Amino acid sequence: MIRLNIAVAVSALSLATPALADTLIDNVDGFTLDDQGQVQRISGLVFSADGKVVQLLRRGDKKPAKTDYYIDGKGRVLMPGLIDAHLHIMSLGIAAMTLDLSATKSLAEAQAAIAKFAAEHPERKWIIGRGWNQEVWKLGRFPTAAEIDAVVKDRPVWLQRVDGHAGWGNSLALSTAGVTAATKDPAGGRIERLPGSQAPSGVLVDGATVLIEKHVPQPRAAERDLALDKAQDLLASKGVTAAADMGTSIEDWQALRRAGDSGRLRIRVMSYASGVDAMTLIGGSEPGPWLYDDKLHLNGVKIYLDGALGSRGASLKAPYADAPGNKGLSFLTPAQLRNLMSRAAMDSFQVAVHAIGDEANGQVLGAVSELAQTYKGDRRWRIEHAQVVDPADIKRFGQLGVIASMQPVHQTSDRLMAEARLGPNRLAGSYAWKSIADGGGKLAFGSDAPVESPDPFAGLAAAISRQGPDGQPFGGWQPQERLTREAAIAGFTTGAAYAGLAETRFGRLAPGLRADFLLVDRDPLLASPAELAQTRVLETWVGGRRIYSAPVTSAQQKPVDP
């Protein structure tokens, strides 16, 4: 009996201990945003054993009398963890395991990379990859199947365009899928044809890509687990502590659950199912609870309305300036769009609609205006990308409470292509961050990785400068749309958290919220845009646990005495 009482006492003591197990990270040059979006400077941070902020310290504040652990910040800059409001986490990880053409500057470079990858992986039945961009190659056209055949013709090859809205295959991929001159364009898609012929050229756009992709071997469960680990490693190294996964399949969700169950889920994932069918398969009749200490939640559904500007699939009100007669692709009729949005909203799932062209954005805004009469309350309707908006529609974001989930790096990557696609008279309202915000719309920023790099500091630099990594154009492209540093940081923190239904859980540093923070090598509030883009993440913490520490460089290593 005495032994039992001692055990009970020890057990009671162990239950009480976590409440006292506070950690102080001190001697930092830190900041966060408050609930009004204003900068708060801090010199220290106290967080509890359950990974929540207990106290923010400012210079001159009295330090806690006792904490269980102490970390010397060594004068480094501490800031809130950054949130990517729109990426594709499984695609990011799989991209790290397949052929990456994003760095190729010409068709010849791409052909060499394809040949090299195929030679290094003779065991793969298909060669798959992504990242090609005919605009960067200055090709003036889409590539062809014959140009892959010239380097690989013994196995099917299927390569997604950088934006994921077109695919490029070799002749064996086309024949395997049965795509011939007689194959008709499917709804919401287009098969590119050889000049003067109905023969497929090798590039399929948007809805047509499924003709090939249904024949491509799908990743096994173990491969998805590895891809998730790789994606998390990359995101943590870039300072991303939470992300909205846009287009989660049931297979992706199961990989996320396996990671959560085994303790391998290190960043926070706000999931948007890949269509209504996946939404009901994953969530059933409601979004469900947050899991794994706010690491995973099914928020709602991602719906595709149009394609991308680069592949001329974005739905425009007027034809493309460089392709007369082509107004892009709309995947859904107005009635179909409203039915899908309504199906999600009736069960309280959040709705996020991919819309890039001005016609598509206008359609979504019109649908929200109608559906909001039925589905009251805090719905937080989202438009993903919102790249080209009719200036007359910009004020409707604020009026309707629609969140503009945008990717600043798209503007710098797309600048020249957008000018060619739209012409000079339709650039107002393109990538119009400040105009949307000034009209009362809420901004949430992300990267669309793997379409772009998941580095949020590149996004911050673009948001405040409207300039690319090369510093062009001088003064910024459409400079009236530049944002303040505070607004840009909010897009990657508080705004992204709000867009993901998470502002009461994380997104800034405040008592009761999750202790997600970074230590970085410079102050984002003071660095020039070029310097900001080169920010190095030194440490990444999620829920009071360090999930990434930068490798020590040779310059940082101290010499060893002989």
Side-chain angles (χ1 to χ4, degrees):
M1 180 63 70
I2 292 177
R3 181 172 297 175
L4 177 61
N5 288 340
I6 291 174
V8 170
V10 170
S11 175
L13 182 61
S14 67
L15 290 174
T17 300
L20 301 175
D22 290 347
T23 298
L24 167 63
I25 179 167
D26 193 22
N27 186 24
V28 296
D29 184 12
F31 73 90
T32 187
L33 299 181
D34 63 19
D35 56 2
Q36 301 300 311
Q38 300 300 308
V39 172
Q40 286 185 309
R41 286 286 182 180
I42 59 175
S43 60
L45 176 72
V46 180
F47 56 87
S48 60
D50 63 355
K52 293 183 178 180
V53 176
V54 174
Q55 183 181 0
L56 300 179
L57 297 175
R58 297 166 182 81
R59 298 197 184 281
D61 285 355
K62 186 176 180 181
K63 296 176 184 179
K66 181 181 178 181
T67 55
D68 295 86
Y69 302 101
Y70 176 87
I71 299 171
D72 182 357
K74 300 179 181 178
R76 294 174 292 181
V77 175
L78 183 149
M79 64 180 290
L82 296 171
I83 303 172
D84 193 311
H86 181 119
L87 55 63
H88 309 278
I89 191 166
M90 197 60 67
S91 294
L92 180 63
I94 290 173
M97 300 161 58
T98 54
L99 175 57
D100 180 8
L101 296 175
S102 60
T104 58
K105 303 299 183 186
S106 68
L107 174 60
E109 282 189 18
Q111 288 173 309
I114 295 167
K116 181 175 183 290
F117 188 88
E120 291 173 347
H121 298 281
E123 78 288 354
R124 299 198 181 188
K125 295 182 179 180
W126 280 67
I127 301 299
I128 59 174
R130 63 174 298 131
W132 60 271
N133 187 344
Q134 83 282 2
E135 298 293 327
V136 171
W137 297 346
K138 296 181 172 55
L139 201 58
R141 60 173 174 80
F142 280 127
T144 66
E147 286 162 335
I148 303 179
D149 294 343
V151 292
V152 178
K153 59 182 179 181
D154 61 333
R155 283 174 283 171
V157 178
W158 181 243
L159 307 166
Q160 285 190 330
R161 191 180 184 276
V162 64
D163 57 14
H165 286 269
W168 174 30
N170 66 353
S171 296
L172 189 52
L174 294 173
S175 63
T176 299
V179 177
T180 69
T183 306
K184 295 182 179 180
D185 290 351
R190 183 174 69 248
I191 301 171
E192 293 292 323
R193 314 282 177 169
L194 293 173
S197 167
Q198 284 300 303
S201 70
V203 168
L204 284 70
V205 179
D206 285 315
T209 59
V210 71
L211 298 175
I212 303 285
E213 288 170 353
K214 64 184 179 182
H215 295 276
V216 177
Q218 294 301 301
R220 298 187 297 270
E223 292 170 329
R224 289 182 185 275
D225 292 344
L226 178 58
L228 178 56
D229 287 343
K230 285 183 175 294
Q232 290 188 93
D233 288 344
L234 179 55
L235 293 170
S237 74
K238 301 297 184 183
V240 176
T241 55
D245 184 46
M246 283 292 162
T248 310
S249 68
I250 183 62
E251 293 85 2
D252 297 340
W253 179 261
Q254 295 290 38
L256 290 163
R257 289 300 306 264
R258 288 193 296 273
D261 290 345
S262 63
R264 293 183 297 106
L265 191 57
R266 288 165 283 149
I267 69 166
R268 307 190 189 281
V269 178
M270 299 162 284
S271 171
Y272 292 80
S274 180
V276 169
D277 289 344
M279 177 193 80
T280 54
L281 189 59
I282 295 169
S285 60
E286 60 182 1
W290 286 80
L291 304 171
Y292 313 117
D293 295 328
D294 296 337
K295 291 276 183 64
L296 180 62
H297 186 240
L298 176 64
N299 283 15
V301 63
K302 162 81 174 297
I303 298 171
Y304 277 98
L305 183 55
D306 70 344
L309 206 58
S311 52
R312 297 187 185 88
S315 180
L316 301 180
K317 292 184 175 181
Y320 281 82
D322 59 356
N326 180 12
K327 294 173 65 176
L329 297 167
S330 183
F331 304 155
L332 303 168
T333 66
Q336 289 172 329
L337 175 64
R338 284 158 175 76
N339 286 341
L340 291 174
M341 294 174 69
S342 180
R343 175 64 187 84
M346 70 173 59
D347 285 336
S348 298
F349 289 100
Q350 189 186 14
V351 175
V353 184
H354 166 115
I356 288 182
D358 54 6
E359 173 67 22
N361 278 282
Q363 280 195 39
V364 181
L365 292 166
V368 170
S369 179
E370 293 179 21
L371 293 174
Q373 305 304 312
T374 300
Y375 302 105
K376 306 288 187 179
D378 185 13
R379 293 290 172 166
R380 301 193 195 181
W381 311 94
R382 296 175 55 141
I383 294 182
E384 304 304 313
H385 307 305
Q387 287 181 7
V388 184
V389 180
D390 187 329
D393 284 335
I394 284 177
K395 61 183 179 182
R396 301 178 74 191
F397 282 84
Q399 291 170 348
L400 297 170
V402 174
I403 297 163
S405 171
M406 306 176 78
Q407 299 76 43
V409 287
H410 278 335
Q411 180 270 305
T412 56
S413 296
D414 293 355
R415 171 175 64 91
L416 297 177
M417 179 268 293
E419 291 175 351
R421 296 288 187 270
L422 301 173
N425 298 325
R426 284 190 287 171
L427 295 179
S430 300
Y431 312 85
W433 316 318
K434 189 172 187 299
S435 293
I436 290 174
D438 287 347
K442 293 189 179 295
L443 299 177
F445 283 161
S447 67
D448 202 15
V451 174
E452 302 275 4
S453 163
D455 184 358
F457 293 97
L460 287 169
I464 67 173
S465 70
R466 305 279 290 194
Q467 293 174 310
D470 58 357
Q472 295 298 317
F474 179 78
W477 189 77
Q478 303 286 320
Q480 72 277 6
E481 297 295 346
R482 289 180 300 201
L483 295 175
T484 65
R485 291 169 189 267
E486 293 82 358
I489 291 170
F492 281 103
T493 55
T494 55
Y498 176 85
L501 309 173
E503 76 278 9
T504 62
R505 301 171 186 273
F506 52 86
R508 60 191 179 93
L509 298 174
L513 301 188
R514 295 290 179 181
D516 300 347
F517 61 89
L518 313 176
L519 293 172
V520 296
D521 69 345
R522 67 201 68 191
D523 190 337
L525 294 167
L526 301 176
S528 70
E531 292 170 340
L532 181 55
Q534 297 300 316
T535 299
R536 183 168 181 257
V537 176
L538 305 175
E539 295 183 14
T540 301
W541 293 66
V542 174
R545 294 181 180 274
R546 186 171 61 191
I547 65 167
Y548 171 77
S549 183
V552 176
T553 65
S554 58
Q556 295 170 313
Q557 292 175 340
K558 296 181 179 179
V560 178
D561 292 334

